[in-house]
Amino acid sequence: MAVLDVSGLNVWYQAPDGRQMHAVRDLDLTLEAGQRLGLVGESGCGKTTVLNAVMALVPPTATVSGRVIFDGVDLLVPDEINARKHRWTGLSLVFQSAMNAFNPVVRVEDQIAEPMVVHGLRDPRAAVRRARELLELVGIAPSAGRRYPHEFSGGMRQRAMLAMALACDPQVLIADEPTTALDTMVQAQILTLLDRLSSELGLALLLVTHDLPVVSQLCDRAAVMYAGRIVESGPIADLYHSPAHPYTRMLFDATPDVLSEHAVASIPGSPPPLNEERTGCAFAPRCDSAAEVCRTEPPPLVRPGSDRLAECHRPGAGVDRPARKAHHV
Ligand SMILES: Nc1ncnc2c1ncn2[C@@H]1O[C@H](COP(=O)(O)OP(=O)(O)OP(=O)(O)O)[C@@H](O)[C@H]1O
Ligand SMILES: [Mg+2]
């Protein structure tokens, strides 16, 4: 059963000169209860914008349309009284560069306690008690809650952010690049922690990252985003072994692999400008397998397998190249 169902989501940012920049284009995304979905794609493709639209955090000058259904409520309907409550209790967001989001002059436990008090879930004393339990849950000694954020290491602050995100017992945890700023050891610890928390608490996880190995380690499914759209989605192993969209394939091939002697293959060019009118596939100018139709016609939605979707005129093109076969043993 879908716990979060996003359909037809569009986000336009307003440029200083008044032009509308179309950052997210008619995007559909479904997260099932308990599922772990990785939203991947290169910088600027709109990952954070999708999360911000779901959590009503886009700037007031931005325009958002579509449906974001959580627990039977459309969070995008402005006068929906439940929308605000659901956003921060049912869905919880760990921000990109969250580690710097703590208030430096407030004790960590008081900051973790605050959302519980604000949402009327606990009185202030009970909220602090719960904050200490949550710190323990994320592997920090409860007594450390008396400390200030600058007395925590980066890894501890990221754990504490997770504790704060869990404060209102959400069903869905959304994490935007939760490990990017951490060294590989701490990164591995945070991933193990996310893995444990999502199993123990039955949390659905929407993990945003441009780091494919992180997704492979933690998620069952991935949705690959390019220029404001999801171009392919499916089980992560299928995407890795038999990518349908050339962008998915090129993204994997651009990912360093310590076991392979093949050099990473960067993707030439850069994503299209946000305000560009599109006739064909947005990836066509950078695609190593593009045909004429890719430049002139919008790509069709295809099903490369059960439980998989892709938007491509030439699904699977280029997968059998010898270099790639050697790369992905
Ligand atoms: N507040 C804003 N006003 C105008 N444009 C914005 C704003 N926020 C983001 N954008 C633009 O929208 C596009 C998508 O940005 P977004 O931050 O969602 O990308 P992202 O996929 O999260 O990238 P990254 O991996 O670097 O975090 C980018 O071109 C960005 O410049
Ligand atoms: Mg981002």
Side-chain angles (χ1 to χ4, degrees), residues 55-318:
M55 301 303 284
L57 292 170
V58 290
T61 50
T63 308
V64 179
S65 72
R67 283 157 65 85
V68 175
I69 308 291
F70 174 78
D71 210 7
V73 174
D74 187 348
L75 301 184
L76 291 188
V77 176
D79 56 355
E80 195 73 67
I81 46 165
N82 284 326
R84 196 179 144 71
K85 189 182 103 202
H86 275 73
R87 273 207 181 91
W88 290 104
T89 54
L91 301 167
S92 190
L93 173 67
V94 178
F95 293 95
Q96 191 161 5
S97 58
M99 290 190 308
N100 308 321
F102 277 110
N103 184 336
V105 295
V106 178
R107 292 181 199 279
V108 170
E109 65 187 18
D110 293 334
Q111 297 192 55
I112 297 173
E114 190 185 324
M116 295 181 253
V117 179
V118 168
H119 289 285
L121 300 175
R122 285 184 169 83
D123 66 55
R125 289 176 70 135
V128 170
R129 274 201 303 278
R130 177 68 184 145
R132 290 178 193 155
E133 286 170 14
L134 288 166
L135 282 172
E136 194 161 28
L137 183 72
V138 299
I140 295 177
S143 57
R146 302 279 303 150
R147 294 203 236 153
Y148 291 91
H150 70 269
E151 297 173 293
F152 275 29
S153 69
M156 282 170 86
R157 257 180 277 164
Q158 190 62 293
R159 283 171 190 268
M161 273 325 291
L162 282 172
M164 193 188 297
L166 298 174
C168 298
D169 298 319
Q171 281 165 266
V172 178
L173 180 66
I174 303 176
D176 195 356
E177 305 276 11
T179 58
T180 309
L182 302 170
D183 74 54
T184 46
M185 295 309 244
V186 180
Q187 183 170 338
Q189 290 167 7
I190 296 291
L191 293 178
T192 308
L193 176 64
L194 277 171
D195 187 20
R196 179 169 66 77
L197 291 174
S198 96
S199 309
E200 281 177 9
L201 308 175
L203 278 173
L205 204 59
L206 176 54
L207 180 75
V208 169
T209 178
H210 50 249
D211 193 338
L212 281 165
V214 165
V215 176
S216 321
Q217 208 179 323
L218 195 63
C219 298
D220 345 291
R221 295 177 65 79
V224 180
M225 222 179 142
Y226 186 73
R229 288 188 63 81
I230 289 179
V231 296
E232 180 162 9
S233 63
I236 183 80
D238 293 359
L239 265 53
Y240 177 79
H241 289 293
S242 59
H245 202 291
Y247 181 62
T248 309
R249 167 172 52 79
M250 292 169 82
L251 207 56
F252 274 114
D253 289 350
T255 302
D257 180 347
V258 287
L259 293 179
S260 167
E261 59 220 34
H262 283 268
V264 291
S266 68
I267 306 179
S270 47
L274 297 184
N275 58 344
E276 186 185 72
E277 283 287 324
R278 290 189 192 158
T279 43
C281 170
F283 187 59
R286 303 173 73 190
C287 183
D288 60 7
S289 306
E292 188 50 30
V293 64
C294 305
R295 290 177 245 283
T296 54
E297 301 286 330
L301 189 66
V302 294
R303 294 183 186 277
S306 65
D307 211 16
R308 293 183 64 182
L309 287 173
E311 270 190 354
C312 185
H313 285 290
R314 310 194 62 217

Side-chain angles (χ1 to χ4, degrees), residues 13-14 23 41-50 59 96 177 210 274:
Y13 289 114
Q14 192 173 350
E42 67 198 284
S43 189
C45 68
K47 304 180 296 295
T48 299
T49 302
V50 171
Q96 191 161 5
E177 305 276 11
H210 50 249
L274 297 184

